[in-house]
Amino acid sequence: MFKKSLVAVGLAAVLTLTACGGSTGAGGGGSDEITLGFAQVGAESGWRTANTKSIQESAKTAGINLKFSDAQQKQENQIKAIRSYIQQKVDLIAFSPVVESGWDTVLKEAKDANIPVILTDRAIDSPDKTLYKTFLGSDFVLEGQEAAKWLIKDKEAATGDVNIVELQGTTGAAPANDRMSGFADLIKAESKFKIIASQTGDFTRSGGKQVMEAFLKSNPKIDVVYAHNDDMALGAIEAIEAAGKVPGKDITIISVDATKDGMTAAADGKINFIVECNPLLGDQLMDLTKKVLAGETVPERVVTVETTFDSAQAKAALPDRKY
Ligand code: AHR
């Protein structure tokens, strides 16, 4: 792609540079600058805001020209953005798929145009692994399992039923599917754990609040909220407090992400346990982009390393929290 600074030196000089400069990737227009097209999910959560910031800052630091689009949580918008990146002949396309299914056609178009693709944060369910070079992101099944492990231990002494309500992420999204299955697979070993209601809050604070209000109206005994992200847990906390109950005491709350807002609620004892999901993927993405375009072999899966926090651990970690 053309560097803006080159425009000033005149068309003839630009044409010379274009002719001489080797393109780094398939779609490069003649300079060594890499152009990366990134199709983001949206701005649904604190996690997503931190992820976007990380990608934008890392691209700048790495000297990569970033074209960025926000799909507002709609798959059709993301597909449009990917098609537009193909038309613009970017060097590489990266995206975090809103949902798992329905990507084969557009990714085949990218492959036919010789533009490599990197999945970040979320997976797709296509059996055709040649449609993308690598997948960088968390192990969402493990995150669900971590949530379940903590709950099993925390309720070790409980003799009666433990009634759980689940706030699911966006329907069909990898983190919603995997956090649901990872959690369910472990708690089913003990019959006292009952998931009495499970509904999507779309990973948003308002969604979490709305669904929790409905859960509280129709279920007189709720012992545990398992929220697939902090924003929904924070919305649920508002609904619980409005109903005159004490979050973290009357109702145990488990969440995923460990954003500053989530960690603050945990430090205050309103969230009892948080499984970390790290959004700071920018540096690794830029590194993988450069390697793929240089023809280097990259691992087909790069898993983000993460931890967990109970209330005391959240309090201790909060001052240094980066997102
Ligand atoms: O894909 C990662 C998930 O998407 C985060 O856990 C959630 O907060 C976000 O919206």
Side-chain angles (χ1 to χ4, degrees):
M1 307 303 280
F2 283 20
K3 284 180 185 166
K4 273 191 191 136
S5 57
L6 292 179
V7 176
V9 302
L11 186 62
V14 173
L15 286 175
T16 313
L17 280 171
T18 303
C20 299
S23 168
T24 319
S31 90
D32 283 336
E33 186 180 47
I34 293 170
T35 294
L36 165 67
F38 188 86
Q40 182 60 290
V41 169
E44 73 282 4
S45 62
W47 189 101
R48 190 65 54 197
T49 305
N51 179 246
T52 292
K53 194 165 169 253
S54 164
I55 287 160
Q56 289 172 336
E57 286 178 358
S58 298
K60 217 171 176 186
T61 309
I64 289 179
N65 174 31
L66 178 71
K67 289 182 181 290
F68 183 88
S69 58
D70 173 338
Q72 298 180 338
Q73 296 241 72
K74 290 197 174 73
Q75 184 175 32
E76 71 255 34
N77 291 346
Q78 242 180 351
I79 290 175
K80 265 188 217 151
I82 294 170
R83 289 213 165 106
S84 129
Y85 293 148
I86 295 171
Q87 266 179 356
Q88 292 172 61
K89 298 187 187 337
V90 300
D91 296 304
L92 187 141
I93 294 170
F95 78 116
S96 171
V98 179
V99 289
E100 282 191 282
S101 329
W103 298 103
D104 285 50
T105 306
V106 72
L107 293 188
K108 272 184 193 130
E109 291 168 24
K111 194 178 169 189
D112 290 346
N114 210 15
I115 300 177
V117 170
I118 293 179
L119 301 179
T120 76
D121 163 36
R122 298 183 181 180
I124 60 171
D125 63 4
S126 173
D128 185 354
K129 305 289 177 223
T130 69
L131 295 177
Y132 55 92
K133 296 290 176 192
T134 181
F135 164 36
L136 161 69
S138 308
D139 181 339
F140 298 134
V141 174
L142 184 69
E143 290 172 352
Q145 290 171 342
E146 290 293 344
K149 269 193 231 162
W150 180 84
L151 182 65
I152 291 167
K153 196 145 196 313
D154 187 63
K155 302 290 180 201
E156 217 166 22
T159 45
D161 284 352
V162 176
N163 288 347
I164 304 165
V165 296
E166 182 176 35
L167 295 168
Q168 296 175 22
T170 303
T171 306
N177 294 341
D178 293 352
R179 287 172 189 165
M180 194 156 42
S181 66
F183 183 78
D185 277 355
L186 290 204
I187 59 156
K188 73 176 179 218
E190 290 190 48
S191 60
K192 70 183 178 194
F193 292 113
K194 314 266 188 230
I195 299 181
I196 57 167
S198 181
Q199 205 177 304
T200 181
D202 215 10
F203 281 130
T204 65
R205 202 173 286 212
S206 58
K209 184 176 179 194
Q210 221 178 312
V211 175
M212 191 64 206
E213 281 166 354
F215 283 167
L216 285 162
K217 273 188 197 133
S218 46
N219 301 284
K221 182 182 175 283
I222 296 174
D223 302 305
V224 178
V225 172
Y226 169 43
H228 289 185
N229 81 344
D230 286 347
D231 284 78
M232 292 190 295
L234 294 164
I237 288 169
E238 287 177 32
I240 292 167
E241 286 174 338
K245 298 191 179 209
V246 183
K249 291 204 166 64
D250 296 335
I251 300 179
T252 301
I253 303 185
I254 305 169
S255 172
V256 185
D257 276 355
T259 57
K260 265 187 194 156
D261 285 355
M263 294 283 273
T264 304
D268 292 345
K270 294 182 179 188
I271 293 180
N272 303 80
F273 187 69
I274 307 191
V275 182
E276 185 180 45
C277 179
N278 189 350
L280 307 181
L281 304 175
D283 286 351
Q284 280 172 293
L285 174 59
M286 299 312 143
D287 190 46
L288 287 166
T289 297
K290 286 184 177 175
K291 285 188 170 145
V292 166
L293 292 174
E296 288 177 37
T297 310
V298 294
E300 64 182 43
R301 177 77 170 101
V302 182
V303 184
T304 318
V305 180
E306 282 151 359
T307 185
T308 59
F309 303 92
D310 62 20
S311 191
Q313 290 162 330
K315 204 171 192 165
L318 193 53
D320 301 322
R321 205 71 195 142
K322 291 202 169 54
Y323 60 91

